[in-house]
Short mmCIF file of all heavy atoms in Angstrom, two decimals:
data_model
loop_
_atom_site.label_atom_id
_atom_site.label_comp_id
_atom_site.label_asym_id
_atom_site.label_seq_id
_atom_site.Cartn_x
_atom_site.Cartn_y
_atom_site.Cartn_z
N ASP A 58 17.37 7.37 -2.89
CA ASP A 58 18.28 7.48 -4.01
C ASP A 58 18.09 8.78 -4.80
O ASP A 58 19.06 9.32 -5.34
CB ASP A 58 18.08 6.30 -4.97
CG ASP A 58 18.54 4.98 -4.38
OD1 ASP A 58 19.41 4.98 -3.47
OD2 ASP A 58 18.01 3.94 -4.83
N ASP A 59 16.88 9.29 -4.84
CA ASP A 59 16.59 10.50 -5.62
C ASP A 59 16.75 11.76 -4.80
O ASP A 59 16.82 12.86 -5.33
CB ASP A 59 15.16 10.45 -6.16
CG ASP A 59 14.96 9.28 -7.09
OD1 ASP A 59 15.87 9.02 -7.93
OD2 ASP A 59 13.95 8.57 -6.97
N ASP A 60 16.83 11.64 -3.46
CA ASP A 60 16.96 12.77 -2.55
C ASP A 60 17.82 12.28 -1.38
O ASP A 60 17.27 11.95 -0.34
CB ASP A 60 15.61 13.28 -2.10
CG ASP A 60 15.70 14.50 -1.19
OD1 ASP A 60 16.82 15.04 -1.02
OD2 ASP A 60 14.65 14.89 -0.64
N PRO A 61 19.13 12.20 -1.54
CA PRO A 61 19.99 11.59 -0.50
C PRO A 61 19.89 12.22 0.90
O PRO A 61 20.28 11.61 1.86
CB PRO A 61 21.41 11.77 -1.07
CG PRO A 61 21.20 11.90 -2.55
CD PRO A 61 19.88 12.62 -2.72
N GLY A 62 19.30 13.38 1.00
CA GLY A 62 19.11 14.02 2.29
C GLY A 62 17.93 13.51 3.07
O GLY A 62 17.71 13.89 4.21
N SER A 63 17.10 12.65 2.45
CA SER A 63 15.93 12.14 3.15
C SER A 63 16.07 10.61 3.34
O SER A 63 16.71 9.92 2.53
CB SER A 63 14.66 12.45 2.35
OG SER A 63 14.64 11.76 1.16
N ARG A 64 15.44 10.13 4.39
CA ARG A 64 15.52 8.69 4.71
C ARG A 64 14.42 7.94 3.96
O ARG A 64 13.36 8.45 3.70
CB ARG A 64 15.46 8.45 6.20
CG ARG A 64 16.61 9.09 6.94
CD ARG A 64 16.70 8.72 8.40
NE ARG A 64 15.47 8.88 9.12
CZ ARG A 64 15.16 8.21 10.23
NH1 ARG A 64 15.98 7.32 10.75
NH2 ARG A 64 14.00 8.43 10.84
N HIS A 65 14.70 6.65 3.70
CA HIS A 65 13.78 5.77 2.95
C HIS A 65 13.82 4.41 3.60
O HIS A 65 14.86 3.75 3.63
CB HIS A 65 14.29 5.72 1.49
CG HIS A 65 13.31 5.09 0.56
ND1 HIS A 65 13.61 4.95 -0.80
CD2 HIS A 65 12.07 4.57 0.69
CE1 HIS A 65 12.60 4.39 -1.41
NE2 HIS A 65 11.64 4.15 -0.54
N PHE A 66 12.68 3.93 4.12
CA PHE A 66 12.54 2.63 4.74
C PHE A 66 11.62 1.76 3.92
O PHE A 66 10.64 2.23 3.37
CB PHE A 66 11.95 2.75 6.17
CG PHE A 66 12.90 3.19 7.24
CD1 PHE A 66 14.08 3.86 6.96
CD2 PHE A 66 12.57 2.96 8.55
CE1 PHE A 66 14.93 4.26 7.99
CE2 PHE A 66 13.40 3.37 9.58
CZ PHE A 66 14.59 4.01 9.28
N TRP A 67 11.97 0.48 3.84
CA TRP A 67 11.21 -0.52 3.08
C TRP A 67 10.69 -1.59 4.05
O TRP A 67 11.48 -2.14 4.84
CB TRP A 67 12.08 -1.20 2.03
CG TRP A 67 12.53 -0.29 0.93
CD1 TRP A 67 13.52 0.65 0.95
CD2 TRP A 67 12.02 -0.27 -0.41
NE1 TRP A 67 13.66 1.23 -0.22
CE2 TRP A 67 12.73 0.70 -1.11
CE3 TRP A 67 11.01 -0.99 -1.05
CZ2 TRP A 67 12.51 0.98 -2.44
CZ3 TRP A 67 10.79 -0.71 -2.38
CH2 TRP A 67 11.50 0.24 -3.06
N PHE A 68 9.40 -1.88 3.96
CA PHE A 68 8.77 -2.95 4.77
C PHE A 68 8.20 -4.01 3.82
O PHE A 68 7.82 -3.69 2.69
CB PHE A 68 7.65 -2.38 5.63
CG PHE A 68 8.10 -1.33 6.60
CD1 PHE A 68 8.14 -0.01 6.21
CD2 PHE A 68 8.46 -1.66 7.89
CE1 PHE A 68 8.54 1.00 7.09
CE2 PHE A 68 8.88 -0.67 8.79
CZ PHE A 68 8.90 0.68 8.37
N GLY A 69 8.12 -5.25 4.29
CA GLY A 69 7.52 -6.30 3.48
C GLY A 69 7.61 -7.63 4.18
O GLY A 69 7.70 -7.69 5.42
N ASP A 70 7.62 -8.69 3.41
CA ASP A 70 7.80 -10.00 4.02
C ASP A 70 9.31 -10.12 4.43
O ASP A 70 10.11 -9.28 4.07
CB ASP A 70 7.34 -11.16 3.12
CG ASP A 70 8.18 -11.37 1.85
OD1 ASP A 70 9.26 -10.75 1.70
OD2 ASP A 70 7.75 -12.19 1.02
N ALA A 71 9.63 -11.17 5.13
CA ALA A 71 11.01 -11.31 5.68
C ALA A 71 12.04 -11.34 4.58
O ALA A 71 13.21 -10.98 4.82
CB ALA A 71 11.09 -12.58 6.53
N ASP A 72 11.69 -11.76 3.38
CA ASP A 72 12.64 -11.84 2.27
C ASP A 72 12.69 -10.56 1.42
O ASP A 72 13.47 -10.48 0.48
CB ASP A 72 12.33 -13.01 1.36
CG ASP A 72 12.42 -14.35 2.07
OD1 ASP A 72 13.36 -14.49 2.89
OD2 ASP A 72 11.59 -15.24 1.81
N GLY A 73 11.81 -9.61 1.73
CA GLY A 73 11.75 -8.39 0.91
C GLY A 73 11.26 -8.68 -0.51
O GLY A 73 11.71 -8.03 -1.46
N SER A 74 10.35 -9.64 -0.66
CA SER A 74 9.90 -10.05 -1.96
C SER A 74 9.07 -8.95 -2.66
O SER A 74 8.19 -8.37 -2.05
CB SER A 74 9.02 -11.29 -1.85
OG SER A 74 9.72 -12.33 -1.15
N PRO A 75 9.35 -8.71 -3.95
CA PRO A 75 8.48 -7.81 -4.72
C PRO A 75 7.01 -8.30 -4.59
O PRO A 75 6.75 -9.52 -4.59
CB PRO A 75 8.99 -7.95 -6.14
CG PRO A 75 10.42 -8.36 -5.97
CD PRO A 75 10.44 -9.27 -4.75
N GLY A 76 6.12 -7.36 -4.52
CA GLY A 76 4.72 -7.67 -4.32
C GLY A 76 4.29 -7.61 -2.89
O GLY A 76 3.11 -7.58 -2.60
N THR A 77 5.26 -7.64 -1.98
CA THR A 77 4.96 -7.48 -0.54
C THR A 77 5.46 -6.13 0.00
O THR A 77 5.23 -5.85 1.16
CB THR A 77 5.63 -8.56 0.29
OG1 THR A 77 7.04 -8.39 0.34
CG2 THR A 77 5.30 -9.97 -0.23
N LEU A 78 6.12 -5.36 -0.83
CA LEU A 78 6.84 -4.19 -0.35
C LEU A 78 6.03 -2.93 -0.32
O LEU A 78 5.27 -2.59 -1.22
CB LEU A 78 8.06 -3.96 -1.24
CG LEU A 78 9.08 -5.08 -1.28
CD1 LEU A 78 10.12 -4.84 -2.38
CD2 LEU A 78 9.76 -5.23 0.07
N ILE A 79 6.22 -2.19 0.78
CA ILE A 79 5.73 -0.82 0.91
C ILE A 79 6.86 -0.01 1.48
O ILE A 79 7.54 -0.43 2.43
CB ILE A 79 4.45 -0.76 1.83
CG1 ILE A 79 3.94 0.65 1.93
CG2 ILE A 79 4.69 -1.36 3.20
CD1 ILE A 79 2.55 0.80 2.57
N SER A 80 7.14 1.11 0.85
CA SER A 80 8.27 1.92 1.31
C SER A 80 7.78 3.32 1.71
O SER A 80 6.73 3.74 1.27
CB SER A 80 9.36 1.99 0.28
OG SER A 80 9.06 2.86 -0.79
N PHE A 81 8.59 3.96 2.53
CA PHE A 81 8.22 5.27 3.06
C PHE A 81 9.41 6.20 2.96
O PHE A 81 10.52 5.85 3.32
CB PHE A 81 7.81 5.19 4.53
CG PHE A 81 6.46 4.51 4.69
CD1 PHE A 81 6.40 3.12 4.79
CD2 PHE A 81 5.29 5.24 4.71
CE1 PHE A 81 5.16 2.49 4.95
CE2 PHE A 81 4.06 4.60 4.84
CZ PHE A 81 4.00 3.24 4.95
N LEU A 82 9.12 7.39 2.47
CA LEU A 82 10.08 8.49 2.46
C LEU A 82 9.72 9.44 3.60
O LEU A 82 8.52 9.78 3.75
CB LEU A 82 10.02 9.26 1.12
CG LEU A 82 10.25 8.44 -0.13
CD1 LEU A 82 9.97 9.27 -1.37
CD2 LEU A 82 11.66 7.89 -0.15
N GLU A 83 10.71 9.81 4.41
CA GLU A 83 10.41 10.69 5.55
C GLU A 83 10.63 12.16 5.16
O GLU A 83 11.75 12.54 4.75
CB GLU A 83 11.32 10.32 6.70
CG GLU A 83 11.06 11.12 7.95
CD GLU A 83 11.98 10.75 9.10
OE1 GLU A 83 13.21 10.77 8.89
OE2 GLU A 83 11.48 10.44 10.16
N TYR A 84 9.57 12.95 5.29
CA TYR A 84 9.63 14.39 5.05
C TYR A 84 8.82 15.03 6.20
O TYR A 84 7.60 15.25 6.06
CB TYR A 84 9.06 14.78 3.69
CG TYR A 84 9.94 14.38 2.53
CD1 TYR A 84 9.68 13.24 1.79
CD2 TYR A 84 11.06 15.14 2.21
CE1 TYR A 84 10.51 12.87 0.74
CE2 TYR A 84 11.90 14.81 1.15
CZ TYR A 84 11.61 13.65 0.44
OH TYR A 84 12.42 13.28 -0.62
N SER A 85 9.48 15.34 7.31
CA SER A 85 8.78 15.80 8.49
C SER A 85 8.21 17.18 8.36
O SER A 85 7.32 17.57 9.14
CB SER A 85 9.71 15.70 9.68
OG SER A 85 10.85 16.55 9.49
N THR A 86 8.68 17.98 7.44
CA THR A 86 8.19 19.38 7.34
C THR A 86 7.18 19.63 6.23
O THR A 86 6.70 20.73 6.09
CB THR A 86 9.38 20.34 7.12
OG1 THR A 86 10.06 19.99 5.91
CG2 THR A 86 10.37 20.26 8.28
N LEU A 87 6.83 18.61 5.47
CA LEU A 87 5.79 18.78 4.42
C LEU A 87 4.42 18.95 5.04
O LEU A 87 4.13 18.38 6.11
CB LEU A 87 5.79 17.62 3.47
CG LEU A 87 6.95 17.46 2.50
CD1 LEU A 87 6.74 16.21 1.63
CD2 LEU A 87 7.10 18.71 1.66
N GLN A 88 3.56 19.68 4.36
CA GLN A 88 2.19 19.80 4.82
C GLN A 88 1.47 18.49 4.60
O GLN A 88 1.85 17.67 3.78
CB GLN A 88 1.48 20.90 4.02
CG GLN A 88 2.00 22.28 4.28
CD GLN A 88 1.26 23.34 3.44
OE1 GLN A 88 0.37 23.02 2.70
NE2 GLN A 88 1.66 24.55 3.61
N ALA A 89 0.36 18.34 5.33
CA ALA A 89 -0.45 17.13 5.19
C ALA A 89 -1.03 17.07 3.77
O ALA A 89 -1.34 18.12 3.20
CB ALA A 89 -1.56 17.13 6.24
N GLY A 90 -1.21 15.90 3.28
CA GLY A 90 -1.76 15.70 1.93
C GLY A 90 -3.23 16.09 1.88
O GLY A 90 -3.93 16.16 2.89
N VAL A 91 -3.73 16.30 0.67
CA VAL A 91 -5.09 16.64 0.41
C VAL A 91 -5.69 15.57 -0.49
O VAL A 91 -5.05 15.15 -1.47
CB VAL A 91 -5.20 18.01 -0.29
CG1 VAL A 91 -6.62 18.35 -0.62
CG2 VAL A 91 -4.56 19.11 0.58
N VAL A 92 -6.87 15.10 -0.14
CA VAL A 92 -7.52 14.09 -0.99
C VAL A 92 -8.05 14.75 -2.23
O VAL A 92 -8.68 15.82 -2.19
CB VAL A 92 -8.68 13.40 -0.19
CG1 VAL A 92 -9.44 12.46 -1.11
CG2 VAL A 92 -8.12 12.70 1.02
N GLY A 93 -7.76 14.16 -3.35
CA GLY A 93 -8.25 14.67 -4.61
C GLY A 93 -7.63 13.93 -5.77
O GLY A 93 -6.89 12.92 -5.57
N VAL A 94 -7.92 14.36 -6.97
CA VAL A 94 -7.38 13.74 -8.16
C VAL A 94 -5.85 13.71 -8.05
O VAL A 94 -5.23 14.71 -7.72
CB VAL A 94 -7.86 14.50 -9.42
CG1 VAL A 94 -7.17 13.96 -10.66
CG2 VAL A 94 -9.35 14.43 -9.54
N GLY A 95 -5.27 12.57 -8.33
CA GLY A 95 -3.83 12.41 -8.26
C GLY A 95 -3.35 11.91 -6.89
O GLY A 95 -2.18 11.54 -6.75
N SER A 96 -4.23 11.84 -5.92
CA SER A 96 -3.84 11.28 -4.63
C SER A 96 -4.22 9.82 -4.58
O SER A 96 -4.97 9.30 -5.43
CB SER A 96 -4.52 12.07 -3.49
OG SER A 96 -5.89 11.88 -3.49
N THR A 97 -3.74 9.12 -3.59
CA THR A 97 -4.06 7.70 -3.41
C THR A 97 -5.14 7.60 -2.32
O THR A 97 -5.01 8.21 -1.26
CB THR A 97 -2.77 6.92 -2.97
OG1 THR A 97 -1.81 7.10 -4.01
CG2 THR A 97 -3.09 5.46 -2.77
#
Side-chain angles (χ1 to χ4, degrees):
D58 291 334
D59 300 316
D60 182 8
S63 67
R64 297 190 309 156
H65 191 180
F66 281 19
W67 293 76
F68 300 88
D70 69 8
D72 297 322
S74 305
T77 70
L78 299 170
I79 181 169
S80 75
F81 290 87
L82 303 173
E83 182 181 55
Y84 289 101
S85 61
T86 61
L87 288 180
Q88 293 181 359
V91 177
V92 175
V94 174
S96 66
T97 301

